[in-house]
Amino acid sequence: QVQLVESGGGLVQAGGSLRLSCAASGLTFSSYSMGWFRQAPGKEREFVAAIRWSIGSTYTADSVRGRFTISGDNAKNTVYLQMDSLKPEDTAVYYCAATSKLRVVVAGTYDYWGQGTQVTVSS
């Protein structure tokens, strides 16, 4: 049974930082690309960042580029999202996901999802 468990969310002031973690189990971690998505109230789920282990590439949405960094540790089956210079508009539930497909920026291609972790940025 595949499980993705996010942690690290919380309340932070604008300009602050948080690091989200996603621990994966039940899958061959290195065979999947891992992504982070977020969903704010009343909005659609949007791509934030992804990492493709097979080619060592990372992808970051324009809205967070330069502020958010995705990384991972294959030995720990864990992927991270370092979020710096947070803004109130970053407030959302953040989800970790795993995909065996190539289109890592599209939510519909992901096979597995975590339960989400709330990030709230106060102004």
Side-chain angles (χ1 to χ4, degrees), residues 1-46:
Q1 179 181 358
V2 175
Q3 282 193 316
L4 303 178
V5 180
E6 302 100 333
S7 61
L11 173 64
V12 64
Q13 288 189 333
S17 298
L18 284 174
R19 189 176 82 153
L20 305 183
S21 299
C22 173
S25 61
L27 53 74
T28 304
F29 192 67
S30 59
S31 297
Y32 285 80
S33 297
M34 301 297 294
W36 287 98
F37 289 76
R38 67 186 182 185
Q39 188 166 18
K43 295 187 177 181
E44 293 187 353
R45 191 167 298 190
E46 66 170 345

Side-chain angles (χ1 to χ4, degrees), residues 32-37 46-55 57-61 70 97-110 113:
Y32 285 80
S33 297
M34 301 297 294
W36 287 98
F37 289 76
E46 66 170 345
F47 170 76
V48 176
I51 186 166
R52 289 181 61 188
W53 307 117
S54 60
I55 60 174
S57 293
T58 60
Y59 306 84
T60 309
I70 188 170
T99 181
S100 57
K101 306 174 185 67
L102 297 178
R103 298 182 66 191
V104 297
V105 302
V106 178
T109 66
Y110 281 75
W113 291 85

